[in-house]
Amino acid sequence: MAGHQGTSTRNQQMESLAGAIEAERRSILTMVPGKVVAYDAKRQKATIRPSLKHSVDGEAIEAPDLLEVPVAHPRGGGTILHTRLKPGDEVMLHVASRSLDQPVEDGEAASSHPGRMHNLSDSVAVPASISKGAELANMPNDGEHFGSTDGKRGMRINDDGSTTLHGGDDGGAKMKIDPSGKVDLMNGGESLFAI
């Protein structure tokens, strides 16, 4: 059985081989949570602090900040949903299986030659929060919300085909466009003026 066993248990060849395989598996990184330290919106690059600690001689050492990390925002067809990142925002670092030097520099294919593999320096940050402290309490169950994290300001695309704009202190619907295109100005859930 491989793992945290002393050198006296490495007498058998299979045990040594299993220990080497386990050590290799522990070094493979695929996804790691992190936090934004700084963000350059013009270049969509960030400095990210990985939420990762290594134990060296019994002492926990945090991974260093990663510089110039590309940030992946949903995009396609000539449009983008750009998220303005602030220090402390959570991201998920997707660690590439090969070096991203060429793809990031000029869009060319990554080399399959096993130079750098599963290295934190080949990460792409995706804005995402997974911690319990970042859970959002006011998100609708009946549609999509594009707006503030408190759910009070923004646009909602509802399952019934309508679109609503929310705002103000109460976070209520201020304007609704129904599936037929009818526009309704609202206050406190009541219609004020329909077009």
Side-chain angles (χ1 to χ4, degrees):
M1 185 171 165
H4 302 287
Q5 299 176 7
T7 55
S8 63
T9 63
R10 302 284 187 217
N11 293 331
Q12 296 182 356
Q13 186 177 11
M14 289 306 293
E15 186 64 29
S16 295
L17 181 59
I21 291 170
E22 178 68 16
E24 176 68 17
R25 284 182 49 222
R26 288 177 185 271
S27 70
I28 295 173
L29 299 172
T30 55
M31 287 182 25
V32 176
K35 291 194 176 179
V36 174
V37 175
Y39 178 60
D40 182 347
K42 290 182 180 179
R43 297 176 54 239
Q44 299 88 55
K45 300 280 192 296
T47 300
I48 305 291
R49 178 164 297 134
S51 299
L52 183 65
K53 293 181 182 178
H54 293 284
S55 180
V56 178
D57 291 331
E59 182 180 349
I61 298 176
E62 291 188 18
D65 289 354
L66 304 176
L67 309 177
E68 296 289 307
V69 177
V71 178
H73 298 282
R75 65 191 305 165
T79 62
I80 185 170
L81 178 60
H82 181 264
T83 304
R84 176 185 50 152
L85 296 173
K86 295 180 179 179
D89 282 348
E90 294 180 12
V91 296
M92 186 59 71
L93 292 167
H94 294 256
V95 184
S97 61
R98 297 291 188 271
S99 168
L100 289 181
D101 289 346
Q102 284 303 119
V104 168
E105 185 62 33
D106 54 21
E108 292 295 320
S111 172
S112 63
H113 185 273
R116 282 196 320 253
M117 296 174 62
H118 301 281
N119 192 299
L120 270 177
S121 63
D122 294 310
S123 293
V124 174
V126 176
S129 297
I130 61 168
S131 68
K132 286 188 177 181
E135 289 177 351
L136 306 174
N138 298 315
M139 294 296 109
N141 283 325
D142 59 349
E144 308 298 324
H145 171 78
F146 305 95
S148 62
T149 55
D150 65 5
K152 291 186 174 184
R153 296 174 310 282
M155 178 177 74
R156 291 186 187 171
I157 300 173
N158 306 301
D159 288 346
D160 66 4
S162 67
T163 301
T164 52
L165 295 179
H166 292 253
D169 291 336
D170 65 352
K174 303 304 177 194
M175 184 171 74
K176 180 177 183 177
I177 304 171
D178 73 14
S180 69
K182 176 184 166 189
V183 177
D184 194 355
L185 299 179
M186 307 175 77
N187 187 27
E190 299 292 325
S191 175
L192 295 175
F193 182 73
I195 301 173

